[in-house]
Amino acid sequence: MKILLTGCAGFIGSHTLERLLADGHDVIGVDNFDPFYARSLKEANLAASSGPGTTGQGSFELLEADLAEATTYQKLKFMAADQPIDAIIHLAAKAGVRPSIEDPVGYQRANVIATQNLLEFSKENDIKQFVFASSSSVYGVNPNVPWTEKHDVSGPISPYASTKVSCELLGHVYSHLYGIRVLGLRFFTVYGPRQRPDLAINKFARLIEAEEPIPVFGDGSTRRDYTFIDDIVGGILACVYKSVASGAPETENGKLKTEQPEGCMPAYAVINLGNDQTVTLAEMIATIEEVVGKKAIIDRQPEQPGDVPQTWADVSKADELFGYKPTITFKEGVTEFYKWYQAQGRSF
């Protein structure tokens, strides 16, 4: 297939790229190399995921561009002229709850406007398969765990979460009006090799190894559904492959059918991708201590605005639709991350 993959130089995007190439697909990758963290780390992600010896039969073309700019789409159309795009995997976004509070307008532009533009591109070029990254943040403060896709998401508590709700709603509009299959994958706290340096497991591992204090917000009782990168990428690709195999969503008299044929993916859905288990902040720190072999120095700080007390995914819908079954335990995942980190040297 020919796949358009956005955010290809990021943490999740570069792992997805690696798997797509290994599976023999041709990939157009888009990334704007946002300076949220060092460009050199993103370049290293690309080198690891698309360099010599990492590909199967697939090819890779990189477009460095801003998805919120209209001119980007003329370039994409030119790059896809020789072979139509079979599916879009849209992973590009400004991520992070706390930074979004400081820059809500920037998050709206990078997440919502870019997604709108990409859906327009999908409509105009008759691309019927659109899979994008949503987030567990859409659930807000919901004490009814585990969270299912039927739970209300009308109460986001950060600008980042609100942009992801907006993208889900946009996806529904384009699916309904234009017969595009739009599938939003709600990721739950993804971690593993190549993880962004600002995220807790990466940051804590570095600080604990260096015997420096780690900032701990609250009393350590907050819980997260940590999901290893290999499980997430496996879910993304299983979703895409099942979606493409289902063909274009069926219509009747020019209108999208609410019910698609048995065995096909729905025309629109939001789907949890998590580990279906939770780990407290205190347990996370203890696991990193065990893997690194050093005790943490705790710098206790107040809870942060926009943070939720817990996340927990019910993944039964993903299992039903495309056989998603996470397999990596938290300790196994932290161990794999630390092996990768050690292999990098002190480059963060």
Side-chain angles (χ1 to χ4, degrees):
M1 293 187 293
K2 188 147 197 166
I3 306 290
L4 173 57
L5 172 66
T6 74
C8 63
F11 166 40
I12 301 175
S14 65
H15 282 276
T16 304
L17 172 62
E18 186 172 14
R19 288 280 297 276
L20 286 169
L21 294 176
D23 286 354
H25 304 297
D26 297 326
V27 180
I28 297 174
V30 183
D31 206 290
N32 70 344
F33 292 85
D34 185 287
F36 186 70
Y37 63 97
R39 182 187 180 98
S40 61
L41 297 181
K42 296 183 180 182
E43 290 175 341
N45 288 346
L46 282 180
S49 58
S50 61
T54 62
T55 65
Q57 298 299 311
S59 66
F60 173 58
E61 293 180 272
L62 173 65
L63 174 63
E64 182 174 348
D66 184 347
L67 291 165
E69 292 290 343
T71 54
T72 296
Y73 297 89
Q74 289 301 317
K75 298 173 185 175
L76 283 176
K77 192 169 183 178
F78 177 78
M79 293 174 75
D82 62 330
Q83 180 185 349
I85 293 169
D86 295 289
I88 293 174
I89 305 175
H90 178 36
L91 305 180
K94 273 186 175 291
V97 166
R98 295 169 197 156
S100 76
I101 296 173
E102 301 299 320
D103 183 24
V105 175
Y107 273 69
Q108 187 76 12
R109 181 182 184 278
N111 296 1
V112 181
I113 294 175
T115 299
Q116 174 102 56
N117 286 346
L118 200 58
L119 285 163
E120 277 289 305
F121 178 78
S122 184
K123 177 193 77 174
E124 291 169 2
N125 292 277
D126 201 32
I127 303 167
K128 295 300 186 181
Q129 313 296 340
F130 191 103
V131 175
F132 74 98
S134 187
S135 168
S136 62
S137 297
V138 300
Y139 289 106
V141 181
N142 180 353
N144 301 310
V145 291
W147 294 338
T148 78
E149 295 84 354
K150 294 180 180 179
H151 283 159
D152 177 49
V153 294
S154 62
I157 63 169
S158 70
Y160 170 69
S162 76
T163 66
K164 290 300 185 179
V165 174
S166 296
C167 290
E168 292 183 356
L169 295 173
L170 278 172
H172 187 274
V173 169
Y174 277 77
S175 178
H176 174 75
L177 290 178
Y178 307 115
I180 302 168
R181 177 174 286 109
V182 180
L183 304 170
L185 303 179
R186 292 173 174 172
F187 298 157
F188 280 70
T189 316
V190 190
Y191 72 103
R194 303 181 205 158
Q195 186 183 41
R196 295 197 331 255
D198 62 297
L199 295 178
I201 290 173
N202 190 327
K203 184 175 182 178
F204 285 7
R206 286 184 282 117
L207 292 174
I208 290 171
E209 184 184 67
E211 300 180 358
E212 297 179 11
I214 62 172
V216 176
F217 300 102
D219 62 4
S221 64
T222 56
R223 310 182 72 90
R224 294 289 181 268
D225 190 331
Y226 291 100
T227 317
F228 192 63
I229 183 64
D230 288 2
D231 287 328
I232 287 289
V233 173
I236 294 170
L237 295 194
C239 179
V240 171
Y241 294 166
K242 179 72 176 290
S243 182
V244 172
S246 298
E250 288 198 0
T251 59
E252 186 172 31
N253 298 322
K255 294 185 178 180
L256 186 69
K257 284 185 177 180
T258 304
E259 296 295 330
Q260 296 294 304
E262 185 176 353
C264 289
M265 293 287 273
Y268 172 82
V270 290
I271 307 160
N272 290 338
L273 287 190
N275 197 47
D276 197 18
Q277 296 184 29
T278 63
V279 177
T280 67
L281 178 55
E283 290 167 343
M284 182 261 277
I285 294 168
T287 302
I288 297 174
E289 288 176 328
E290 183 180 353
V291 170
V292 174
K294 293 183 179 181
K295 294 294 290 182
I297 303 168
I298 304 296
D299 175 17
R300 192 76 62 185
Q301 297 188 17
E303 292 184 3
Q304 295 293 288
D307 279 352
V308 298
Q310 63 180 337
T311 67
W312 183 358
D314 180 325
V315 297
S316 56
K317 184 174 181 179
D319 185 16
E320 177 186 348
L321 288 175
F322 46 85
Y324 174 75
K325 289 181 172 62
T327 61
I328 307 299
T329 68
F330 185 63
K331 185 176 179 182
E332 288 170 341
V334 172
T335 300
E336 286 303 307
F337 164 78
Y338 192 58
K339 287 178 183 176
W340 168 82
Y341 166 73
Q342 288 182 306
Q344 307 312 300
R346 297 185 178 276
S347 58
F348 290 87

